[in-house]
Each structure stands twice: as structure tokens, then as C-alpha cells.
Amino acid sequence: MQGFVYQAQPARVVFGHGTFRQLPEEVARLGLERALVLATPQQAQEAERIAATLGGRSVGTFSEATMHTPVEVTERAMKVVAARGADGVIAVGGGSTTGLGKAIALRSDLPQIVVPTTYAGSEMTPILGETVAGRKTTQVSPKILPEVVIYDVDLTLTLPVGLSGTSGINAIAHAVEGLYAKEANPIVSLMAEEGIRALACALPKIAQDPLDRAARSDALYGAFLCGAVLGAVGMALHHKLCHTLGGSFDLPHAETHTIVLPHALAYNAAAAPQAVARVGRALGAGNAPLALYELAGAVGAPRALRDLGMPESGIAEAAEIALANPYWNPAPLDRGRIEALIRRAWEGSPPA
């Protein structure tokens, strides 16, 4: 066994069925007296209901969370935080809401409670991606990591099949890159392989029966593990490309990850054979990139960037942006290969 460094993230995790009922207890445990509940516009009524259950420990809601965490939305939220004297934030929902909570915490160091309703996994990380003028940048800080994460399987039973599949494969992407990360270690690799296995088994079952409680539980468990991987090690080409594509062309986050992942893994396969073998073992397949592509098909997810609205003219632009700032990747970053990768993802072709 070679030496390694593993930095555990100090987040409190509450997992199970009906655990959302423990929210008031967790609010009190953190000593919050003026919590602000965050949501997207579509979840505004639900946010109001949650705030009401907290009684005097809530100062209301802010329901403008938006995909890719635009800085202008965060600035509006910060004004509400200041005006109401909020002493903490509660994010209930998917990655948009979680991202807003993290952005507020980065600027204010306020404690956060996150109740995820998708499988994105970002709630387990000290990582924030923000968008300014069509460019998405990433920051890492201990302030960004939520203090408490409440996983309630029951809240995922109504998650639409399409979003279940794409957010689940988005979570798998964290684990895939964690297996070949520069900071990879045995602890992270165990979580990564188990997270991929749990999600890959659960997602097709959810596509067939969205009310399959056992499959929903396995998927949320897998998302938790994959998110913990993302929080423990650095990412590489796949995440860089997805941030570039999402921020530059306003593409939906989970769907973009789902489409790009098989191609990014194929790009790195020769440079990270052990990692690819572990992905294949978790998927029960010999060809891991192709198995990921087929998993997307099995859950009815899109497999072409052009179907998300990305123009063909953006392929070269995306490659240029992705290479603008140096970053670590197991395989050398080559402009021609990266452009070919994006083109295959744009076309929806199987991974090379």
C-alpha cells in the first residue's frame, strides 16, 4: 500500500426516510434564530411552507435560485440576507438552490442546511461554480461546505424520471473523475466505486418504476457517496468541459454532464487504465465508456449536446475556452482531441 493523504469533510449527514421532519431540530442544534429558506421560483410555495414550519426561527424566503448560480442573483440574495438579519440559510431542492446557499455562505460565512431533492451530490462539497457574463468559474473554500445535509428518500419519490436519470449520472461523473484524480486515495476510491455501483443499479429501476422506494434509497445513497468523492479530491477534464459548456451556452447542468461523461472517460482511458477498470467493474461492463453511454439511453436521457440547443459553431469555441486555463488531467490536453470529443458529444455518437 502506497502512502496517501485523505482529508475528511466535516459535514453532518442525516439519511433515511422521513428525515425532513428533523429540520426544526437541526435548525435549533445549529443555534439558528433567523434562517432564510432558499428556493427556485418553481418551488416558492414549498419554501413558504417550510419557513412557516420553523415559526419564529425563520425570516422568510428567497425564491430566485437559478441554474449555474449567476452572481447577479447572489447579489440580490445578499441584500435580503442583510435586510432581514439572517443568521443561516436552508436550501431545499436541487443544484440551483444548493449553489445559491453556497454562494451566500462564501460571502457571509453563514451556516447552511441543505435538503437535496435530486442526486447531484454537490451538497457534500466545498466547491462553488458561479457564472459571470457567460463564463463559469469554480472556487473552493471551507466556507462553502454545508454544515448539515438532510437526505430524505421520501422527497425524491416525486422527482421526474428524466431528472432522476440525468442528476444520477451527473453524480456518477464525480466518482468517475475521483478514481483518476491527482489526489486519489484508497478511501475515496472505495466510495467512488460503491457510489457508481449503487446509482447504476438504481437508475434503470427508477426509470421503470419511479415509486420504487428501495431503488430511490439506493440512488440517494449513491449520490451521497459520489458527492463526498467530489468534495475530497480535485476534478479534471470532464468537469472543466461541463462548466465551460454550461456557462458559455446556458446548457442544463445535469444533462450536459450525462452527455459528456462517456466521451471524457474514453479520452482518459489509456492514461488511467486502473480507474477505468474500476468504473467498468462498478457498472458490470467491460467497456466502461460505452456502458455509461448505454446507461444514459436506458434511463431516457439525452445523448447529444445539439439536442440541448448547443450550436455546432460552439464546438471550437468550447475547446478554446476549456484550454484557456491550465488544469490537471491524467491524459495530456490536446486541442484536436478535445475538439473531437466535444464534436462526438454534440452529435450524440457513441464514445470513441
Side-chain angles (χ1 to χ4, degrees):
M1 173 67 70
Q2 294 182 339
F4 63 89
V5 174
Y6 171 63
Q7 177 67 53
Q9 299 292 346
R12 173 177 167 87
V13 174
V14 180
F15 188 101
H17 291 271
T19 50
F20 183 63
R21 291 191 294 270
Q22 298 181 40
L23 177 61
E25 178 184 334
E26 294 298 327
V27 169
R29 194 185 66 82
L30 287 177
L32 302 184
E33 298 287 348
R34 302 182 62 79
L36 180 67
V37 180
L38 308 175
T40 62
Q42 296 80 7
Q43 297 170 310
Q45 288 187 334
E46 178 66 10
E48 295 285 355
R49 187 188 67 78
I50 293 167
T53 66
L54 297 176
R57 290 187 181 269
S58 171
V59 290
T61 68
F62 179 84
S63 301
E64 298 181 30
T66 305
M67 184 173 63
H68 302 307
T69 319
V71 168
E72 60 267 25
V73 174
T74 302
E75 290 172 347
R76 291 199 296 272
M78 289 301 300
K79 292 179 180 178
V80 174
V81 167
R84 300 184 188 177
D87 61 1
V89 294
I90 300 170
V92 183
S96 298
T97 309
T98 301
L100 176 59
K102 288 178 164 187
I104 292 171
L106 177 64
R107 290 161 171 80
S108 64
D109 204 19
L110 291 178
Q112 307 169 72
I113 298 176
V114 179
V115 186
T117 58
T118 70
Y119 304 131
S122 62
E123 64 279 350
M124 290 303 301
T125 78
I127 304 168
L128 170 65
E130 296 183 298
T131 304
V132 182
R135 291 290 184 269
K136 193 167 187 176
T137 59
T138 302
Q139 299 182 66
V140 180
S141 169
K143 295 180 180 180
I144 296 171
L145 181 73
E147 278 71 15
V148 179
V149 180
I150 300 176
Y151 287 104
D152 189 338
V153 178
D154 295 346
L155 296 183
T156 67
L157 293 174
T158 56
L159 184 64
V161 168
L163 185 53
S164 297
T166 54
S167 70
I169 297 176
N170 177 19
I172 287 174
H174 309 329
V176 167
E177 291 226 296
L179 284 167
Y180 55 60
K182 181 169 60 174
E183 307 88 351
N185 61 71
I187 311 304
V188 164
S189 294
L190 285 170
M191 291 191 293
E193 188 171 342
E194 172 67 0
I196 295 169
R197 183 206 61 77
L199 278 160
C201 289
L203 294 178
K205 295 177 183 177
I206 292 170
Q208 294 296 317
D209 179 8
L211 297 179
D212 185 331
R213 292 172 66 86
R216 289 289 189 181
S217 181
D218 287 347
L220 196 58
Y221 162 68
F224 154 55
L225 290 175
C226 293
V229 169
L230 176 63
V233 297
M235 298 287 106
L237 176 63
H238 169 79
H239 281 74
K240 178 66 174 182
L241 285 178
C242 289
H243 281 188
T244 296
L245 292 164
S248 301
F249 303 101
D250 197 30
L251 304 183
H253 182 84
E255 289 86 343
T256 303
H257 276 269
T258 298
I259 293 168
V260 172
L261 180 59
H263 305 282
L265 183 59
Y267 184 101
N268 283 321
Q274 292 183 336
V276 176
R278 293 191 75 154
V279 176
R281 184 166 65 191
L283 294 170
N287 185 330
L290 183 60
L292 289 169
Y293 179 82
E294 292 175 342
L295 176 62
V299 300
R303 292 192 284 189
L305 292 173
R306 62 182 173 187
D307 293 340
L308 304 184
M310 178 182 170
E312 185 175 9
S313 60
I315 295 172
E317 179 186 351
E320 181 179 352
I321 296 171
L323 286 167
N325 296 311
Y327 54 95
W328 187 88
N329 190 66
L333 299 176
D334 176 82
R335 170 64 182 266
R337 289 191 65 204
I338 289 176
E339 196 165 322
L341 181 168
I342 299 171
R343 177 165 292 281
R344 294 187 75 83
W346 183 82
E347 294 172 344
S349 303

